[in-house]
Amino acid sequence: MKTDNKKNDELQVGVITQTHGIRGEVKVFPTTDDANRFKKLKEVTLDTGRERISMEIEGVKFFKQFVIVKFKGYDSINDVEKYKQGKLMVTRDKAVKLQKDEYFVADLIGALVVTEEGEVLGTLKDVMATGANDVYVVSREDGTEALLPAIRDCIKTVDMEQKKITVHIMDGLL
């Protein structure tokens, strides 16, 4: 399996949803679990799908669940209009430092999910953020999905070396 090292070296922190005002600001939906991290970011890479542009952050403010970002040198709505739906990426060295038992979602996707008994449940397809706790979406061999709460009672171990997650199937989960 060939992996794209450039992609693996980067993490998505947000997606530009639309322009904000006429002075070149954009409304960003944060895909990081703490939007306040935007205050510390100096630059991001904008991935438009066609090109990748290094953007220097000039200003950050917050509006409802969005982050309003102003990029240096982009001073009108016309300068930023074309970047709607663009992904904002940071390199791992600029990413937040993880605590014990914290993982980047990008690293978890594709991990093999097995039960405590060693039975293969499937592959981690997505992580949904809910109010209380994250939910792991596991794609099963039979084409169905299993939704597992990311809590200690359910997620027993995460082995990043082997890209394997061991889970306890609580009553009524499957």
Side-chain angles (χ1 to χ4, degrees), residues 27-87:
K27 195 181 278 189
V28 174
F29 180 77
T31 55
T32 170
D33 62 350
D34 182 6
N36 285 312
R37 292 180 187 157
F38 275 87
K39 287 187 215 164
K40 294 185 181 103
L41 282 177
K42 302 278 183 260
E43 67 175 5
V44 293
T45 299
L46 171 65
D47 184 347
T48 66
R50 291 182 306 285
E51 60 181 335
R52 300 172 59 77
I53 309 159
S54 184
M55 310 281 269
E56 194 177 332
I57 294 178
E58 190 176 289
V60 170
K61 54 190 178 189
F62 301 92
F63 176 72
K64 296 184 180 168
Q65 79 268 35
F66 295 99
V67 182
I68 308 300
V69 178
K70 169 76 175 72
F71 297 114
K72 190 172 190 167
Y74 295 83
D75 300 319
S76 92
I77 189 171
N78 299 330
D79 295 341
V80 294
E81 182 101 54
K82 60 185 175 257
Y83 299 134
K84 283 186 204 166
Q85 302 312 308
K87 295 180 175 88

